[in-house]
Amino acid sequence: LQAVLVASVADAREREGRLADGTRLHDAMARLVESAARGEVEPEELLQVGREPWLTERTAHRLAPVVGSQVFTRLVSARARAEVPWLATYGATMPSAASEGVRVVADARDVDAGRFDVLAVLPDGRWWIVDWKVTLPADADDAWRAHGRQLTRYSIASQRAHAPGCVLTLASLSADVVVHSWDGSALAVSDIGPHPPAPPPVVTLP
């Protein structure tokens, strides 16, 4: 029994460490995207260790492949924003009892909200939504099975905001920088469920 408890504690600590590492990397990427897209920092200084307290040697080394990747370069060119909040409603609405002329959702369970890791608006008006993952399967179908439910919610959020379409991208924060993109315009509210829908068409980076 003692061996089982020791193993369980060790496993819990490992999971906690991975979660903290992922949170740290996501926060760093948000800052890097914002600094680069706004032109606040010269490209060659973006990963300069010590430029900011959070930019440690370990973080700079870990994220150097991502900052040098095609997906990061294109996000900067598109003047993307990081950590963008979103909200979407799916169900029926009814008149508000408190405010005349205002409608509210009939069921709070039909309200969904979150944050996009990165959002860019493409020249044709489509949204480009990028979600960073600490690790990502090399196979696009495997990646969709793991994260398709989350990306479907993002697609519906873009539709509710009247975007003319969206590109959904997963990109890993790893040395090989695995990237997968899909045309989220083909998804619908009926695709939201306990399991990911069939993957939409795979597309190249915008």
Side-chain angles (χ1 to χ4, degrees):
L1 178 60
Q2 184 178 7
V4 173
L5 289 175
V6 169
S8 296
V9 170
D11 184 57
R13 287 177 175 172
E14 183 181 352
R15 289 198 303 271
E16 183 178 355
R18 287 198 302 268
L19 180 61
D21 185 55
T23 300
R24 175 178 58 82
L25 293 174
H26 275 75
D27 181 65
M29 283 306 305
R31 294 168 184 262
L32 291 169
V33 167
E34 287 285 332
S35 296
R38 292 182 178 186
E40 297 174 344
V41 181
E42 294 298 324
E44 62 273 13
E45 299 177 358
L46 202 57
L47 288 176
Q48 182 178 319
V49 175
R51 178 177 62 79
E52 297 284 353
W54 52 269
L55 195 48
T56 63
E57 184 174 352
R58 178 186 176 189
T59 300
H61 175 75
R62 177 70 181 270
L63 295 181
V66 185
V67 172
S69 69
Q70 189 179 58
V71 64
F72 186 86
T73 300
R74 294 191 179 185
L75 285 171
V76 172
S77 297
R79 303 183 64 82
R81 301 301 304 270
E83 295 293 321
V84 179
W86 59 269
L87 183 145
T89 60
Y90 307 131
T93 62
M94 61 184 183
S96 169
S99 301
E100 185 177 355
V102 175
R103 299 187 67 82
V104 297
V105 293
D107 189 333
R109 291 173 295 183
D110 290 331
V111 178
D112 196 6
R115 286 180 182 269
F116 301 131
D117 282 349
V118 191
L119 172 65
V121 179
L122 301 174
D124 60 6
R126 290 180 301 157
W127 286 14
W128 181 19
I129 301 167
V130 177
D131 198 73
W132 305 117
K133 298 298 179 187
V134 175
T135 59
L136 194 62
D139 181 76
D141 286 343
D142 289 342
W144 181 263
R145 277 190 289 270
H147 305 290
R149 289 182 63 204
Q150 176 186 15
L151 295 181
T152 300
R153 292 168 56 218
Y154 291 173
S155 173
I156 303 308
S158 74
Q159 294 175 31
R160 288 295 186 264
H162 305 292
C166 72
V167 176
L168 305 168
T169 296
L170 294 174
S172 69
L173 302 177
S174 55
D176 52 352
V177 194
V178 177
V179 179
H180 302 298
S181 294
W182 296 268
D183 179 6
S185 309
L187 298 168
V189 173
S190 58
D191 289 319
I192 296 177
H195 305 289
V202 173
V203 296
T204 57
L205 286 177

